[in-house]
């Protein structure tokens, strides 16, 4: 396990190094003055600029400038947004929880729907139900997410009027952000309309979460199905059959656990994919998360925000990857011995 | 498997619990109104801006003025001042204030007194007096007042007693009262200003506003929403709406969707107007506005410093096609900056759409091969231009045919306005909504030299002959004489063409039938003071 951890740390360190170099070089690649791009100080006076140059070591060589930049980042200073002149770090902290909330919800939805369906398909291998599930998975995987989002709004919001089309919660409710995860904040708040707010927020999350979940869920179906089929073909399952256990017992006691282990490894990899989908979906559903914020920043040519946002978002996805690697290693001792990270 | 089942049960439990509160919820939505606005305000003080988005969000919600325009016939009627008196030579105007007018009480300020003459002095001296401690807070630019030459008109303001204020003018001015009745001439609280001075947080006066209006600010998140609560001690009428929320939604489609899904009660600048008219649950309101949408040339930047180039572009653009496409035919084609209904309007027939004439002019100007230019298109919908981006694309296609390459530029609204003020544009699609019926309100803010230096004249065009005609027109109250001066002024604009007038439009909004009351007026911003909801 120690070797495994060291390997992961090594990977983490070098990936972060590359990411930060990329982010740092962006300020030179964007049009305009690199220092302004890095700090977002568009209204700085001459004296302020002198202080800034000092703190970012702009008169030294590139390597030292990079070190100064890293020092600023470790102090939580990502500069100011060019369009609103607010701290980017606080902006990101305000929008990131909404994305995490939506992604987690979608992720849960995808696993709870996808994996059982995949197992059902495998158990009924080559029967009608297997083919139906596989066809659904194929369709779900092929539909582009932005089209699905708009289509869902058209059907469920506009035509049927069941669910709201945008935002995180109706603006009627005033909820103080404590954790940033809205559903928790509502439960922690002392608003007299607490339960309606909760209901309202739940209604708001359903559509975007379902849209995001559609693609990963179909992948999970196929993963779970393949995993289950390979487990059912192993000799130990054949042995249990020979012992005369009932099919139900075989599945529940022996096959499920072993198939799940195979699935977990790939589930983590899907998370990066899911966050990408979440970004697109946030724009469509006007969800106040980091994806919408980042796309808004790109649209406004807010270079400082783009750099900070990309750095934070990619680090976040990377950290999630490493965590899933760990969970997989904990579940499957044999994985720790493998040479390379997945 | 068990935990899976438990989660579902818990979720169901929550849903059942929350169903108990439905009656409570009805009350909340009945007392609240959500308005889908098209953009974020730049500030919470109308004195500092000319942008309609900001005026809509602030002017009639947070503040009052000394006098206002009556909604019935646009005549000037009492507001914070219960009456006023103008001397015969027109140089002295005395206002008599109402008593017991309460300022907002909020989390950030508790007033200890009601409105008096000091507040009026504070509000206007902030604009007029460069040594006033608040003059340079928030930049020191008061575009509307600078564009009408307020500091040249007013000689001094004096306090006669606690409830009487006298304005002394340098010369009689026929549009002075109308200027005071606009949305920009709001009354702030001096007591609040003093408190902020002590705390050394002066800039807060324009960010966390205190006024006497029907609503007080609770919270604001840029790009997301503004939340107002009812001002309990409002002097004029009992406000029916407890909570007023501006849901900032810049996309046209998203606003329409929110209306259809009842997430918004009223939406600004709706698209698909025919469908809204046919819909059983919604009403389309329209009001004929005094406005102009135009293409302004930055006359300081070559090649737009050349009159022939400006004329060539005017001939190349097919305005009829723009009116059909962008305004769905619901606008009047503009030939001059004034709408037809104004008494000073003079028709101009110089610009027929003609590519050959355009090419000929380009040749004469020395650009036979054409050139490349930027058109800045607003990212928001305004009454005078419901879709600047589409308009820019039509113009791009028209100009391409005479050899001019157009690059379309757009930024987020507040950034857009900031960069315009810096004069970074070469041409811009913008417009002007009048603040009062006087024609001066078009000529002066749009094209005078004073406005060129303060920014509401985005063409940077400055013509002394034109300016002197405007001055002469203001010094008389004789309509025939004024009309004559304004006709001459319009002739100069037609010849020089610093901007190409495109259309005068109507302003639209859509609302659910539950919302009753008049929100729109021909001048100035939206007003929720007397709105009720079933």
């Amino acid at each position: 396990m120690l070797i495994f951890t060291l390997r992961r740390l090594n990977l983490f360190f070098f990936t972060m190094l590359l990411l930060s170099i990329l982010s740092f070089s962006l300020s030179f690649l964007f049009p305009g003055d690199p220092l302004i791009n890095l700090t977002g100080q568009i209204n700085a006076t001459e004296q302020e600029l002198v202080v800034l140059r000092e703190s970012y070591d702009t008169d030294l060589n590139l390597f030292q400038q990079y070190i100064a930049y890293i020092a600023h980042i470790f102090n939580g200073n990502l500069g100011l947004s060019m369009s609103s002149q607010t701290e980017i770090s606080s902006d990101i902290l305000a929008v990131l929880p909404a994305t995490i909330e939506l992604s987690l919800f979608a992720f849960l939805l995808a696993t709870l729907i996808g994996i059982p369906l995949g197992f059902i398909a495998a158990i009924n291998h080559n029967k009608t139900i297997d083919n139906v599930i596989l066809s659904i998975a194929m369709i779900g995987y092929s539909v582009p997410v932005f089209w699905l989002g708009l289509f869902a709004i058209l059907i469920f919001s506009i035509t049927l009027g069941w669910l709201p089309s945008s935002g995180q919660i109706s603006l009627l409710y005033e909820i103080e952000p404590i954790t940033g995860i809205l559903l928790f904040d509502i439960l922690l708040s002392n608003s007299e309309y607490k339960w309606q707010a909760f209901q309202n927020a739940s209604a708001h999350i359903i559509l975007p979460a379902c849209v995001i979940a559609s693609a990963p869920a179909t992948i999970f179906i196929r993963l779970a199905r393949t995993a289950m089929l390979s487990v059912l073909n192993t000799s130990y399952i054949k042995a249990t059959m020979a012992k005369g256990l009932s099919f139900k017992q075989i599945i529940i006691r022996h096959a499920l656990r072993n198939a799940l282990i195979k699935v977990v490894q790939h589930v983590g990899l899907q998370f990066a994919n899911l966050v990408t989908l979440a970004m697109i979906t946030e724009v469509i559903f006007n969800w106040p998360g980091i994806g919408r914020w980042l796309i808004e920043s790109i649209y406004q040519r807010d270079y400082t925000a783009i750099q900070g946002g990309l750095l934070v978002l990619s680090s976040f996805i990377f950290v999630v990857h490493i965590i899933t690697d760990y969970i997989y290693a904990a579940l499957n001792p044999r994985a720790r011995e493998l040479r390379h990270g997945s | 498997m068990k935990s899976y089942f438990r989660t579902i049960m818990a979720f169901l439990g929550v849903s059942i619990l929350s169903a108990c509160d439905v009656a409570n919820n009805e009350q909340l939505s009945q007392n609240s109104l959500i308005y889908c606005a098209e953009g974020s305000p730049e500030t919470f003080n109308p004195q500092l801006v000319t942008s309609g988005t900001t005026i809509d969000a602030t002017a009639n919600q947070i503040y009052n003025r000394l006098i206002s325009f009556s909604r019935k016939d646009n005549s000037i009627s009492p507001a914070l001042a219960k009456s006023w008196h103008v001397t015969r030579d027109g140089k002295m105007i005395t206002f008599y204030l109402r008593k017991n007018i309460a300022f907002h009480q909020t989390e950030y300020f508790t007033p200890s007194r009601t409105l008096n003459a000091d507040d009026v002095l504070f509000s206007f001296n902030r604009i007029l007096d460069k040594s006033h401690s608040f003059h340079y807070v928030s930049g020191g630019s008061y575009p509307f007042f600078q564009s009408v030459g307020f500091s040249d008109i007013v000689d001094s303001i004096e306090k006669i007693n606690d409830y009487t204020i006298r304005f002394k003018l340098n010369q009689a001015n026929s549009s002075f009262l109308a200027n005071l009745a606009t949305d920009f001439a709001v009354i702030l609280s001096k007591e609040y200003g003093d408190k902020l001075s002590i705390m050394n947080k002066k800039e807060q006066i324009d960010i966390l506003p205190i006024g006497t209006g029907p609503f007080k600010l609770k919270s604001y998140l840029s790009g997301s929403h503004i939340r107002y609560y009812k001002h309990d001690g409002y002097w004029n009428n009992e406000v029916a709406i407890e909570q007023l929320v501006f849901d900032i939604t810049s996309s046209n489609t998203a606003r329409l969707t929110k209306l259809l899904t009842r997430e918004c009660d009223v939406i600004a600048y709706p698209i698909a107007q025919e469908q809204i008219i046919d819909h059983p649950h919604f009403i389309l309101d329209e009001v004929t506005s005094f406005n102009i949408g135009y293409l302004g040339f930055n006359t300081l930047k070559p090649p737009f410093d050349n009159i022939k180039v400006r004329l060539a572009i005017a001939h190349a653009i097919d305005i009829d096609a723009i009116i059909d496409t962008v305004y769905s035919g619901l606008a009047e084609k503009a030939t001059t900056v004034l709408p037809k209904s104004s008494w000073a309007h003079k028709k101009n027939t110089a610009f027929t759409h003609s590519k050959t004439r355009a090419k000929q002019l380009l040749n004469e100007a020395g650009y036979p091969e054409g050139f490349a230019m930027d058109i800045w298109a607003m990212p928001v919908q305004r009454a005078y231009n419901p879709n600047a981006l589409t308009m820019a694309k039509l113009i791009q296609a028209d100009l391409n045919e005479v050899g001019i390459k157009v690059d379309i530029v757009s930024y987020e609204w507040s950034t857009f306005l900031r960069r315009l003020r810096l004069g970074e544009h070469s041409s811009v699609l913008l417009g002007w909504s009048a603040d009062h019926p006087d024609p001066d309100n078009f000529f002066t803010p749009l094209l005078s030299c004073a406005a060129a230096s303060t920014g509401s004249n985005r063409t940077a065009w400055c013509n002394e002959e034109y300016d002197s005609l405007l001055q002469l027109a203001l010094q008389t109250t004789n309509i025939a004489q004024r009309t004559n001066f304004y006709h001459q002024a319009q002739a100069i604009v037609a010849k020089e063409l610093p901007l190409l007038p495109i259309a005068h439009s109507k302003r639209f909004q859509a609302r659910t039938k539950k919302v009753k009351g008049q929100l729109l007026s021909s001048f100035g911003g939206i007003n929720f003071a007397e709105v009720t909801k079933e």
Side-chain angles (χ1 to χ4, degrees):
Chain A
M1 201 68 191
L2 178 72
I3 304 284
F4 179 81
T5 308
L6 284 176
R7 266 206 210 109
R8 287 292 166 281
L9 279 176
N10 189 16
L11 180 70
F12 181 72
F13 176 77
F14 278 101
T15 313
M16 279 306 170
L17 186 74
L18 281 174
L19 263 180
S20 59
I21 289 174
L22 178 75
S23 166
F24 175 68
S25 61
L26 278 179
S27 59
F28 294 90
L29 300 171
F30 284 135
D33 178 353
L35 181 71
I36 306 277
N37 289 343
L38 209 52
T39 56
Q41 302 264 16
I42 44 174
N43 302 325
T45 57
E46 264 316 306
Q47 294 95 330
E48 283 170 338
L49 277 177
V50 170
V51 175
L52 276 180
R53 282 196 197 98
E54 192 109 330
S55 77
Y56 280 89
D57 291 340
T58 47
D59 33 15
L60 301 174
N61 65 30
L62 267 183
F63 177 72
Q64 278 159 314
Q65 286 186 41
Y66 169 74
I67 297 293
Y69 165 74
I70 293 291
H72 275 279
I73 285 186
F74 272 104
N75 289 328
N77 173 15
L78 293 170
L80 298 179
S81 152
M82 284 180 168
S83 61
S84 66
Q85 292 291 295
T86 48
E87 286 271 337
I88 286 183
S89 46
S90 64
D91 280 5
I92 290 179
L93 283 180
V95 292
L96 191 61
T99 302
I100 294 177
E101 181 177 19
L102 183 62
S103 306
L104 280 179
F105 200 83
F107 193 68
L108 274 177
L109 218 60
T111 43
L112 293 180
I113 292 170
I115 295 175
L117 275 181
F119 287 164
I120 292 168
I123 291 163
N124 299 297
H125 188 41
N126 284 344
K127 293 181 190 156
T128 324
I129 196 161
D130 183 22
N131 291 329
V132 168
I133 290 175
L134 269 187
S135 320
I136 290 174
M138 207 57 227
I139 293 169
Y141 188 64
S142 318
V143 170
V145 68
F146 57 89
W147 183 86
L148 190 66
L150 292 172
F151 190 69
I153 289 177
L154 182 67
I155 299 290
F156 295 103
S157 304
I158 296 179
T159 314
L160 297 170
W162 290 353
L163 293 165
S165 67
S166 74
Q168 210 176 356
I169 186 167
S170 163
L171 289 169
L172 294 179
Y173 305 100
E174 254 189 299
I175 303 295
E176 283 293 315
I178 303 165
T179 59
I181 308 263
L182 186 72
L183 292 173
F184 293 166
D185 284 347
I186 292 172
L187 297 177
L188 292 171
S189 81
N190 46 15
S191 155
E192 54 177 312
Y193 301 109
K194 199 160 160 176
W195 289 114
Q196 296 138 19
F198 191 84
Q199 198 183 16
N200 188 286
S202 313
H204 273 85
I205 205 169
I206 290 172
L207 268 194
C210 288
V211 169
I212 295 170
S214 67
T218 57
I219 295 174
F220 292 160
I221 289 177
R222 293 197 313 217
L223 279 175
R225 181 174 171 271
T226 324
M228 193 58 146
L229 283 179
S230 69
V231 168
L232 287 181
N233 280 333
T234 51
S235 42
Y236 64 86
I237 294 286
K238 291 201 174 91
T240 52
M241 283 185 184
K243 274 198 330 193
L245 289 182
S246 71
F247 192 62
K248 197 169 150 189
Q249 276 175 316
I250 294 174
I251 296 290
I252 291 174
R253 280 206 200 151
H254 301 276
L256 258 184
R257 253 194 79 174
N258 293 315
L260 266 176
I261 288 179
K262 285 177 189 264
V263 177
V264 166
Q265 186 185 1
H266 297 280
V267 161
L269 292 178
Q270 283 308 314
F271 198 80
N273 211 346
L274 190 128
V275 173
T276 317
L277 292 175
M279 287 175 66
I280 301 167
T281 313
E282 276 174 12
V283 176
I284 295 170
F285 286 92
N286 217 337
W287 189 267
I290 194 166
R292 201 188 76 166
W293 178 84
L294 199 58
I295 286 172
E296 198 68 27
S297 307
I298 292 170
Y299 181 68
Q300 290 176 31
R301 300 180 177 77
D302 187 341
Y303 303 126
T304 324
I306 296 171
Q307 283 179 66
L310 287 177
L311 190 67
V312 172
L313 199 64
S314 24
S315 324
F316 169 68
I317 290 174
F318 192 66
V319 168
V320 169
H321 261 225
I322 289 194
I323 291 172
T324 48
D325 264 357
Y326 260 97
I327 293 174
Y328 177 60
L331 288 177
N332 184 1
R334 279 183 306 176
R336 299 169 210 163
E337 308 308 321
L338 293 175
R339 283 277 151 148
H340 307 287
S342 56
Chain B
M1 212 60 205
K2 255 187 189 160
S3 59
Y4 188 59
F5 180 73
R6 239 183 245 157
T7 323
I8 292 179
M9 283 316 287
F11 205 81
L12 280 176
V14 167
S15 322
I16 290 163
L17 265 180
S18 49
C20 310
D21 287 326
V22 168
N24 211 349
N25 207 15
E26 283 291 304
Q27 194 192 346
L28 180 70
S29 69
Q30 203 171 65
N31 296 337
S32 316
L33 193 142
I34 300 185
Y35 171 69
C36 268
E38 76 288 0
S40 303
E42 299 165 81
T43 161
F44 279 91
N45 182 355
Q47 293 176 328
L48 305 170
V49 296
T50 52
S51 118
T53 310
T54 308
I55 294 296
D56 278 343
T58 58
N60 293 310
Q61 275 51 271
I62 307 174
Y63 300 101
N64 295 112
R65 293 156 292 282
L66 288 174
I67 45 182
S68 59
F69 293 111
S70 143
R71 293 188 158 205
K72 292 189 191 70
D73 55 0
N74 290 326
S75 63
I76 290 174
S77 59
L80 293 179
K82 60 178 189 275
S83 61
W84 60 94
H85 170 263
V86 185
T87 51
R88 199 165 298 175
D89 63 1
K91 284 191 180 179
M92 294 246 247
I93 300 161
T94 314
F95 290 98
Y96 304 95
L97 302 181
R98 283 177 212 270
K99 293 181 180 162
N100 301 327
I101 290 185
F103 279 104
H104 298 156
Q105 178 171 351
T106 62
E107 287 166 7
Y108 48 89
F109 178 67
T110 306
S112 67
R113 61 168 177 81
T114 53
L115 172 112
N116 65 28
D118 293 332
D119 300 309
V120 180
L121 273 180
F122 174 82
S123 309
F124 288 109
N125 278 338
R126 174 180 179 180
I127 298 163
L128 290 167
D129 177 4
K130 290 201 164 76
S131 62
H132 191 273
S133 65
F134 275 85
H135 182 81
Y136 287 107
V137 171
S138 308
S141 166
Y142 302 90
F144 172 77
F145 296 95
Q146 282 154 344
S147 68
V148 298
F150 199 65
S151 50
D152 304 331
I153 300 169
V154 180
D155 173 50
S156 65
I157 310 176
E158 57 177 322
K159 169 181 169 181
I160 310 287
N161 63 37
D162 267 354
Y163 295 99
T164 315
I165 287 274
R166 181 173 294 152
F167 284 78
K168 279 192 181 145
L169 309 189
N170 287 320
Q171 60 210 34
N173 184 304
S174 44
S175 68
F176 179 75
L177 278 181
N179 285 335
L180 284 196
T182 60
D183 283 344
F184 308 104
V186 297
I187 304 300
L188 315 169
S189 162
K190 177 175 188 292
E191 195 192 353
Y192 181 50
D194 292 344
K195 182 193 162 200
L196 293 177
S197 296
I198 293 165
M199 289 162 64
N200 208 357
K201 285 187 180 167
K202 284 185 189 166
E203 65 288 345
Q204 251 188 42
I205 197 163
D206 304 321
I207 301 165
L208 294 172
I210 293 289
T212 54
F215 295 98
K216 56 186 182 188
L217 180 72
K218 176 68 174 57
S219 60
Y220 166 58
L221 185 61
S222 175
S224 164
H225 67 273
I226 314 170
R227 191 183 302 280
Y228 290 119
Y229 279 175
K230 162 182 161 179
H231 172 31
D232 280 327
Y234 185 52
W235 58 274
N236 193 16
N237 60 314
E238 179 63 31
V239 181
I241 305 287
E242 295 279 339
Q243 185 183 211
L244 171 67
V245 182
F246 276 57
D247 179 353
I248 297 161
T249 313
S250 52
S251 140
N252 294 336
T253 329
R255 279 204 305 280
L256 185 68
T257 309
K258 283 184 178 182
L259 179 76
L260 294 173
T261 56
R262 311 287 195 281
E263 286 165 83
C264 284
D265 300 304
V266 184
I267 63 168
Y269 309 109
I271 47 171
Q273 288 149 357
E274 286 79 14
Q275 283 84 337
I276 293 173
I277 293 171
D278 296 340
H279 200 286
H281 298 294
F282 305 121
I283 300 174
L284 183 77
D285 294 323
E286 60 173 80
V287 61
T288 308
S289 311
F290 255 47
N291 64 24
I292 170 78
Y294 61 81
L295 171 67
F297 306 108
N298 184 348
T299 55
L300 296 178
K301 274 198 182 172
F304 302 106
D305 50 357
N306 183 331
I307 294 183
K308 285 196 167 138
V309 171
R310 305 200 293 253
L311 289 173
I313 291 177
H315 281 294
I317 295 174
D318 183 357
I319 294 182
D320 290 321
I322 289 179
I323 296 211
D324 282 345
T325 313
V326 180
Y327 299 87
S328 345
L330 295 165
E332 172 190 321
K333 181 176 172 177
T335 58
T336 161
V337 291
L338 272 193
K340 272 198 199 116
S341 43
S342 169
W343 47 263
H345 173 85
K346 178 175 184 288
K347 195 169 163 61
N348 165 19
T349 51
F351 310 117
T352 44
H353 173 54
S354 154
K355 276 183 236 167
T356 43
R357 179 84 187 104
K359 278 186 178 148
Q360 185 190 340
L361 280 163
L362 280 178
N363 266 329
E364 289 171 22
Y367 295 96
E369 300 301 315
F371 53 89
M373 66 182 271
D374 284 346
I375 289 185
W376 285 38
M378 300 182 298
V380 295
Q381 302 73 40
R382 312 276 350 128
Y384 48 72
N385 190 340
N387 194 337
L389 224 59
T390 305
M391 194 187 282
K393 284 174 188 161
L394 290 170
I395 292 175
Q396 185 180 36
D398 282 340
L399 294 184
N400 198 17
E401 291 183 358
V402 295
I404 302 173
K405 293 274 173 293
V406 174
D407 190 19
I408 299 172
V409 177
S410 187
Y411 298 99
E412 187 269 334
W413 189 220
S414 51
T415 313
F416 187 86
L417 290 174
R418 192 187 72 230
R419 294 190 167 211
L420 270 184
R421 272 197 291 276
L422 297 172
E424 292 180 14
H425 58 292
S426 55
S427 75
V428 60
L429 283 172
L430 210 63
W432 178 258
S433 293
D435 314 296
H436 57 68
D438 197 286
D440 178 65
N441 190 244
F442 278 94
F443 294 114
T444 301
L446 278 179
L447 291 165
S448 68
C449 297
S453 56
T454 59
S456 64
N457 173 356
R458 307 289 190 206
T459 64
W461 180 76
C462 174
N463 179 306
E464 283 172 16
E465 192 190 347
Y466 170 87
D467 265 29
S468 63
L469 284 165
L470 298 193
Q471 286 309 318
L472 290 168
L474 280 179
Q475 282 159 22
T476 169
T477 48
N478 177 326
I479 293 288
Q481 280 182 352
R482 289 189 79 193
T483 306
N484 178 19
F485 290 130
Y486 286 135
H487 280 189
Q488 290 179 48
Q490 282 169 86
I492 295 175
V493 176
K495 197 170 94 234
E496 292 252 340
L497 208 77
L499 55 79
L500 172 68
I502 295 174
H504 310 290
S505 72
K506 291 176 171 173
R507 175 172 180 171
F508 292 93
Q509 72 175 18
R511 57 189 163 108
T512 63
K513 284 194 172 163
K514 286 181 175 174
V515 177
K516 303 262 190 286
Q518 190 189 356
L519 294 120
L520 293 178
S521 61
S522 297
F523 307 101
I526 197 165
N527 188 337
F528 290 94
E530 292 170 19
V531 171
T532 56
K533 196 174 163 190
E534 285 171 3

